[in-house]
Amino acid sequence: MDIVKKLVEEFQLKPFQVTNTINLIDEGNTIPFIARYRKEQTGNLKDTVLRDLFDRLNYLRNLKDRQEEVIRLIEEQGKLTDDLRKDILESETLQRIEDLYRPYRPKRRTRATIAKEKGLEGLANILLAQKVDKGELDGIVKRYLDEEKGVNTEEEALEGAMDIIAEIISDDAKYRDIIRNIANNKGILQTEGVEKQQKSVYEMYYDYKESLKTIANHRILAINRGEKEKVLKVNLVLPNEEILSKIKSKVIINDSIETKQYLEASIEDSYKRLIFPSMEREIRSNLSERAEEEAIKVFALNLKPLLMQPPVKGETVMGIDPAFRTGCKVAVMDDTGKLLDYTTVYPTEPQNQVDKAKKELKDLIFKYDVDIIAIGNGTASRETEMIVAGMLQEIDKNLSYIIVNEAGASVYSASEVGQEEFPDLDVSIRGAISIGRRLQDPLAELVKIDPKHIGVGQYQHDLNQGKLNQALEGVVEDCVNTVGVDLNTASPSLLRYVSGISSRVAQNLIEYREEKGKFTNREELLKVKGLGPKTFTQCAGFLRIPEGNNPLDNTAVHPESYPIAKKLMGKNIDENNIEFLSKEFGVGTLTLKDIITELKKPGRDPREEMPKPIFRTDVLKMEDLKEDMILTGTVRNVVDFGAFVDIGVKQDGLIHISHLSNKYVKHPKEIVKVGDIVQVRILEIDIDRGRISLSMKDV
């Protein structure tokens, strides 16, 4: 297999792009480093493409290794033919290789192996050959009777031979291909409720069927969960008669022969007992894998804009983690995120200490000159919002509030990171700090939380956790390196996502900073324990030193390009002169353009280009809503069937996929992403069920 050629075809790239990318990966370079600092070699491939190419490269390498392994194993048995070798080497999936290897795989003791031990393999081959003349079969069968081996009757001999034939048919890759093709085109997934009178979220699946070709990924995941919770029974329904007819037409080449009835029985037994159960498992597994892969992609797409939300800089923030019985935890942070003060107030049920709570909040607001209040969107969020909105009308200060997604705040509160940051604080107070800091710098705060707990996916706990973690860690890594990290203020949680830096090296950086004081230039990195020249190359360009002794250290210019950057500094660069300068300095045009961009806007934060959050001063209740009302909202989550939008009331509204655009939409991700500010029209309000239907059509 020519892996480079295959990747070139699949990704529609040029050979040099694929070859260079593979070489860069094999040399130990990280994806963020390759994407940012090796653009000439890759032809400016984006980090997302590089990660997909990396994943596919690993699959194809595993495929090639398995091809060689299976060829070796079959060759050791002395059963490898030129045709079989060719079939294995031309296999494009691991499933196909395993199908071809199936007849040669060491087996546990089966009905067929027992029949072979009784010496009935020859009889099975005679039946399959279909060359028995009329009236000869009885005599042939009698030759295989053997009391010592337990073959006492002709019926026993024929049954044993049929068991062998059934296994031969089951192990034949071409028959499995036929069944797989029919199943994928005509198969149906059928579900029914275990207790149909029982109310549950799975009621639509109590009597449900859908074609395998059309079933949506989110429905597959819902059905899987319902089955796991023992609420649903799930069956695969295939056109059995068509499948059997197809296999019989391939196996039975002589309709008039008296072996036909035994071959037909063998085929039916093979399909029912051996092929269908394994095929059902395979198809269900493939459906789940397909659905999981799409869910992971959507999760990753949602996570990126959430992490890349613009920071709210230079503002003193009050974070509120709402609750009922245990009270609302309050924390005040200065514009750097440093904790200034904290308390607990009880304005909600059952205490209802509204006036007392307002007074305490006002005291903190004026004492620390709070600019913005961040309210978590969990339990008691809207009740707390109403109290805060009412309080804002009572004070003479330019102050606003915002609802912040608090998913994962409780995970952070109880985590080792949270304990290390605030060892003397109650767990719940840490949650309020996290909510406030998420507004000040979403990326720096959210990296402290396992990405899958951030709450922008669907069925995340049902997905393959290894694949999910790998995908989400990649997204976080790309975001952190796109933004860059302040070397003198970054937490270990943030530093460990920087290209080339391990958790151990991140901790060493913190210890060096605590011992020696602030870093003054990037060269000091080489003095940190465990950070050698190779790691320096990978990480240096992503680490910023805003107040260092070299202004280039506060840019994304890599130290390897400092000589060129210094030649450019102070020059009036003509954009039309890039090609000439590129040749003069001996550097690629893409790298040169990046250097010029950095020199024009040193310390640029790419998040500033993202949609700004919506700040509010008054509360909107569900009862205030009317059909056809036009509102501005923030996209909170994107799923297969639509997008959930915060429009300022207790319940997020849903824009169904059919109402995202006037044109056909294959997936909501084509139209919206998390964090987008959108104009929506209210279609329907169901106060009893707490549901709001929205539309972006004709707004």
Side-chain angles (χ1 to χ4, degrees):
M1 184 198 309
D2 187 335
I3 290 178
V4 171
K5 184 179 178 183
K6 193 156 188 63
L7 290 171
V8 165
E9 291 170 355
E10 289 182 9
F11 285 83
Q12 297 185 317
L13 299 173
K14 294 175 182 173
F16 87 89
Q17 292 178 291
V18 173
T19 302
N20 289 348
T21 298
I22 292 174
N23 290 338
L24 287 164
I25 289 169
D26 289 344
E27 288 165 9
N29 295 291
T30 67
I31 297 298
F33 176 81
I34 296 170
R36 183 66 179 79
Y37 297 113
R38 294 295 180 261
K39 290 181 178 180
E40 274 76 24
Q41 286 94 318
T42 69
N44 202 19
L45 294 182
K46 303 300 180 191
D47 47 23
T48 49
V49 176
L50 288 168
R51 288 193 186 279
D52 287 344
L53 194 148
F54 177 63
D55 290 342
R56 186 61 177 153
L57 172 66
N58 284 336
Y59 181 89
L60 292 175
R61 282 178 167 173
N62 289 336
L63 183 72
K64 193 170 185 177
D65 289 345
R66 187 58 179 159
Q67 286 172 337
E68 293 169 359
E69 175 74 358
V70 165
I71 286 171
R72 181 185 65 78
L73 291 169
I74 299 174
E75 198 166 30
E76 286 175 357
Q77 297 176 31
K79 298 177 180 178
L80 185 68
T81 65
D82 289 342
D83 285 344
L84 180 56
R85 181 195 295 271
K86 184 171 180 287
D87 281 347
I88 293 169
L89 290 174
E90 289 178 354
S91 297
E92 296 192 351
T93 65
L94 289 168
Q95 178 67 61
R96 173 66 178 167
I97 294 173
E98 298 310 320
D99 279 354
L100 293 168
Y101 181 47
R102 181 181 284 271
Y104 311 97
R105 185 191 300 279
K107 289 184 172 65
R108 59 179 176 78
R109 195 168 163 82
T110 64
R111 280 163 51 171
T113 56
I114 294 169
K116 287 177 183 177
E117 290 166 5
K118 292 179 178 181
L120 297 172
E121 192 168 8
L123 178 57
N125 290 334
I126 289 169
L127 294 177
L128 274 171
Q130 302 171 61
K131 292 179 180 177
V132 179
D133 291 332
K134 194 170 183 180
E136 287 186 348
L137 188 58
D138 278 352
I140 293 171
V141 173
K142 283 175 182 173
R143 295 205 300 265
Y144 287 90
L145 299 182
D146 188 333
E147 288 186 12
E148 286 185 13
K149 292 182 177 179
V151 187
N152 300 309
T153 65
E154 290 182 38
E155 186 180 359
E156 287 176 351
L158 286 166
E159 283 178 356
M162 288 159 63
D163 284 341
I164 294 170
I165 294 169
E167 188 165 279
I168 289 170
I169 291 168
S170 171
D171 284 347
D172 196 313
K174 67 176 176 287
Y175 299 136
R176 286 184 170 262
D177 279 346
I178 289 168
I179 296 167
R180 192 177 289 118
N181 186 52
I182 293 173
N184 288 334
N185 283 292
K186 297 183 179 179
I188 289 170
L189 199 66
Q190 184 173 289
T191 65
E192 60 176 303
V194 175
E195 295 183 25
K196 293 188 178 181
Q197 70 278 7
Q198 181 183 327
K199 293 283 184 185
S200 82
V201 294
Y202 304 106
E203 285 179 64
M204 73 169 282
Y205 299 111
Y206 280 3
D207 185 12
Y208 184 82
K209 60 175 69 174
E210 187 169 357
S211 165
L212 299 184
K213 283 172 67 175
T214 61
I215 189 164
N217 292 320
H218 65 275
R219 286 201 284 276
I220 293 168
L221 295 174
I223 287 168
N224 286 353
R225 182 182 283 184
E227 183 181 38
K228 187 178 179 181
E229 294 176 8
K230 296 184 168 47
V231 179
L232 300 176
K233 285 193 289 188
V234 186
N235 294 299
L236 180 66
V237 180
L238 301 182
N240 296 331
E241 292 305 317
E242 180 184 343
I243 289 170
L244 288 169
S245 175
K246 195 83 171 176
I247 298 176
K248 286 175 183 177
S249 71
K250 299 287 183 183
V251 175
I252 300 170
I253 54 176
N254 190 341
D255 265 351
S256 61
I257 203 79
E258 59 184 305
T259 57
K260 179 183 177 183
Q261 62 176 311
Y262 302 107
L263 290 175
E264 285 184 332
S266 299
I267 292 166
E268 289 168 8
D269 175 51
S270 176
Y271 176 65
K272 183 178 179 181
R273 179 170 59 88
L274 301 174
I275 302 177
F276 180 82
S278 68
M279 193 62 66
E280 183 175 38
R281 287 192 298 272
E282 178 194 312
I283 289 170
R284 290 286 310 278
S285 174
N286 288 343
L287 283 174
S288 298
E289 189 174 337
R290 183 194 86 192
E292 287 186 9
E293 283 179 3
E294 181 61 27
I296 288 170
K297 282 181 183 176
V298 172
F299 202 136
L301 280 171
N302 286 344
L303 180 61
K304 186 166 187 175
L306 186 68
L307 294 173
M308 294 295 284
Q309 288 179 106
V312 176
K313 295 179 179 177
E315 307 284 5
T316 301
V317 173
M318 173 183 284
I320 302 180
D321 187 0
F324 287 113
R325 184 181 55 82
T326 56
C328 300
K329 307 303 184 290
V330 182
V332 180
M333 280 70 63
D334 70 11
D335 59 355
T336 68
K338 178 185 174 184
L339 178 66
L340 298 175
D341 208 339
Y342 63 90
T343 189
T344 303
V345 295
Y346 300 88
T348 54
E349 297 282 353
Q351 290 91 345
N352 290 317
Q353 298 173 7
V354 176
D355 291 339
K356 185 180 178 184
K358 282 183 178 181
K359 182 180 184 307
E360 289 187 55
L361 293 176
K362 288 174 186 177
D363 288 346
L364 288 171
I365 287 167
F366 286 107
K367 181 177 179 180
Y368 297 106
D369 195 19
V370 172
D371 300 297
I372 302 168
I373 299 174
I375 304 171
N377 68 339
T379 305
S381 172
R382 295 304 176 179
E383 290 80 2
T384 304
E385 179 193 6
M386 291 180 72
I387 291 159
V388 167
M391 178 190 69
L392 295 187
Q393 307 305 313
E394 300 169 7
I395 59 179
D396 184 19
K397 181 171 172 42
N398 186 19
L399 186 64
S400 56
Y401 73 87
I402 186 171
I403 304 295
V404 174
N405 186 341
E406 67 172 44
S410 59
V411 174
Y412 160 76
S413 300
S415 68
E416 286 185 20
V417 175
Q419 291 170 24
E420 286 171 9
E421 281 198 284
F422 302 104
D424 301 324
L425 290 185
D426 183 79
V427 170
S428 55
I429 294 295
R430 293 180 199 146
I433 297 169
S434 178
I435 289 166
R437 284 181 169 180
R438 286 183 190 202
L439 185 63
Q440 294 177 309
D441 192 337
L443 181 59
E445 195 61 26
L446 290 172
V447 293
K448 300 173 186 176
I449 301 163
D450 186 335
K452 66 174 174 284
H453 294 302
I454 294 176
V456 286
Q458 58 184 108
Y459 301 102
Q460 58 260 43
H461 301 296
D462 299 334
L463 306 178
N464 181 305
Q465 296 301 295
K467 288 183 179 179
L468 178 63
N469 287 337
Q470 182 183 351
L472 300 185
E473 291 266 323
V475 172
V476 178
E477 187 181 17
D478 289 340
C479 290
V480 169
N481 290 286
T482 297
V483 171
V485 170
D486 186 332
L487 183 54
N488 285 319
T489 61
S491 66
S493 302
L494 195 56
L495 285 169
R496 80 175 184 87
Y497 283 107
V498 172
S499 169
I501 293 183
S502 64
S503 297
R504 181 65 260 174
V505 172
Q507 195 56 49
N508 292 345
L509 280 165
I510 299 296
E511 290 171 5
Y512 182 92
R513 198 168 71 195
E514 289 172 349
E515 182 184 343
K516 306 285 186 182
K518 288 186 175 183
F519 284 87
T520 57
N521 62 70
R522 282 171 169 165
E523 291 298 321
E524 281 184 77
L525 287 166
L526 290 166
K527 298 177 183 178
V528 175
K529 185 180 177 182
L531 204 158
K534 190 171 182 179
T535 302
F536 177 84
T537 299
Q538 298 297 310
C539 73
F542 302 108
L543 294 168
R544 311 278 194 270
I545 306 175
E547 297 169 0
N549 51 31
N550 184 344
L552 291 174
D553 287 348
N554 191 35
T555 70
V557 177
H558 196 281
E560 66 188 9
S561 296
Y562 279 8
I564 295 165
K566 286 173 182 174
K567 290 177 184 177
L568 288 168
M569 288 172 76
K571 279 194 175 186
N572 186 17
I573 306 298
D574 183 354
E575 295 290 335
N576 299 317
N577 211 20
I578 296 292
E579 292 288 344
F580 175 79
L581 289 171
S582 171
K583 290 173 184 174
E584 181 185 343
F585 295 145
V587 64
T589 56
L590 294 170
T591 298
L592 187 60
K593 285 177 181 177
D594 282 346
I595 295 170
I596 292 168
T597 299
E598 287 299 314
L599 294 178
K600 284 181 176 178
K601 290 188 73 176
R604 180 182 69 93
D605 190 334
R607 294 175 294 176
E608 292 171 1
E609 299 163 12
M610 302 294 284
K612 301 293 186 287
I614 299 174
F615 296 105
R616 305 184 188 278
T617 57
D618 200 2
V619 70
L620 188 65
K621 298 189 287 293
M622 203 160 173
E623 289 76 10
D624 298 331
L625 302 181
K626 299 283 186 293
E627 288 183 10
D628 289 325
M629 185 182 281
I630 305 294
L631 296 167
T632 300
T634 305
V635 177
R636 292 293 186 199
N637 200 4
V638 178
V639 292
D640 287 348
F641 51 86
F644 290 97
V645 178
D646 177 4
I647 54 172
V649 297
K650 184 172 184 176
Q651 183 66 41
D652 286 348
L654 172 66
I655 311 174
H656 189 266
I657 187 170
S658 60
H659 281 279
L660 282 167
S661 173
N662 288 317
K663 64 180 183 180
Y664 170 74
V665 178
K666 188 174 181 182
H667 194 282
K669 65 189 177 187
E670 299 169 11
I671 306 296
V672 291
K673 62 181 182 295
V674 170
D676 278 355
I677 307 301
V678 293
Q679 291 279 306
V680 294
R681 178 167 52 85
I682 297 176
L683 290 177
E684 187 180 351
I685 306 148
D686 187 337
I687 293 176
D688 294 335
R689 299 171 72 188
R691 292 185 179 179
I692 306 164
S693 299
L694 305 172
S695 176
M696 283 173 56
K697 287 183 176 181
D698 306 317
V699 176

